[in-house]
Amino acid sequence: MSQTQKSIAVLTSGGDAPGMNAAVRAVVRAGINKGMKVYGVYRGYNGLLNGDVEEMNLRSVSDIIGNGGTMLYTARSEEYATPAGIQRAADFCRSIGVSGVVVIGGDGSFRGARCLTNAGINCIGVPGTIDNDIACSEYTVGFDTAMNTAIQMVDRIRDTAQSHDRCSVVEVMGRNAGYIALNAGIACGATYIITKEEPFTVNDVIAKIIEGQKSGKHHFIVIVAEGIGGSEQLAKEIEQATGVESRATILGHVQRGGSPTVQDRVAASQLGYYAVDLLSKGIGNRVVGLQHNEVVDYDIQEALKMKKEFPHDLYKIANEISF
Ligand code: F6P
């Protein structure tokens, strides 16, 4: 163990995601097993500004692997995102001997991690967001649980849509990304999936519903990605054009909660462990990720510039089997 890596810290930042606790657990346990002191930082970067940290022990993270949310709480800190804030956070880290921080969150959190690294504190980003919108990783912690929650909700909505011969327009989260919409849409047998990544018009949606009516279909599910929005209006337009009574549901934050799935617990454990391994070698300014089930890492700056491919082939399949 190098002297400079004697103490590390872990924080969760941005929107919470199921599996963040599993990642915190992995960081704490891996760090302690490597002989390090590990601090938990409360409420994201705010904890570094307010000195809101606590030294963790092996038992501090007992029984959290199956819990949703984050035991460290989370925040999007405006105060931190200033040169003075970053300097204060770095000074605080030095004052308690912390030379490395694992930051579990999304793109915004990684920008903060890059700044803190530039201020002299090595940071490693772990992708934790339900949106799956981190380009350097095929997978982000929380995505699978969120998709599973979304399909459970849509399955329930389908029951009532079927009973009333209705069309249900269901808006799912994802910020500007359509990954939850695409996968939940396929898994629920949606008639139409609307995402920013695929061109569409309201008339396309209406035409598909009318086509379905002609083949004897009475109820319909349309999945709308959050980045598109306008679900209420779309439901009205569908009703007017097709005569099918329509309702809109915005699933919202229900998708962010709940006990993480196996995939999220395993990914979080792998990524958290690997992040500590990098810090223990004195490496910082990296984002860890999963590619073909292997853990990889990228320079934060490079990772932030990368673009993630949308699986257009999968969208095509969804479209062709949704009549
Ligand atoms: O990034 C996760 C996410 O849940 C997005 O899907 C959504 O756009 C956003 O966070 C909602 O943020 P808030 O919890 O601040 O409303």
Side-chain angles (χ1 to χ4, degrees), residues 15-16 76 129-131 133 173-175 180 226 253 256:
D16 64 337
R76 297 186 175 101
T129 163
I130 64 165
D131 302 335
D133 59 351
M173 272 190 171
R175 204 176 289 273
I180 296 179
E226 178 185 10
H253 290 83
R256 285 239 298 262

Side-chain angles (χ1 to χ4, degrees), residues 62-140:
S62 293
D63 299 329
I64 64 166
I65 195 164
N67 296 348
T70 159
M71 68 164 284
L72 293 178
Y73 303 85
T74 186
R76 297 186 175 101
S77 175
E78 284 179 21
E79 199 187 350
Y80 170 75
T82 61
I86 290 153
Q87 195 51 51
R88 248 177 72 200
D91 289 345
F92 173 72
C93 287
R94 278 186 278 271
S95 76
I96 57 168
V98 162
S99 54
V101 182
V102 178
V103 174
I104 305 163
D107 272 349
S109 310
F110 300 158
R111 274 188 277 280
R114 186 189 59 201
C115 295
L116 196 57
T117 305
N118 289 342
I121 307 296
N122 275 343
C123 288
I124 305 290
V126 170
T129 163
I130 64 165
D131 302 335
N132 202 29
D133 59 351
I134 303 295
C136 71
S137 184
E138 283 168 358
Y139 188 77
T140 63

Side-chain angles (χ1 to χ4, degrees), residues 176-216:
N176 288 312
Y179 302 103
I180 296 179
L182 173 60
N183 288 281
I186 292 176
C188 293
T191 303
Y192 210 103
I193 301 167
I194 304 175
T195 73
K196 276 191 156 177
E197 293 88 347
E198 300 287 344
F200 88 102
T201 66
V202 172
N203 283 340
D204 296 336
V205 183
I206 289 167
K208 191 111 187 248
I209 290 173
I210 291 173
E211 219 174 315
Q213 283 178 309
K214 284 185 189 150
S215 68

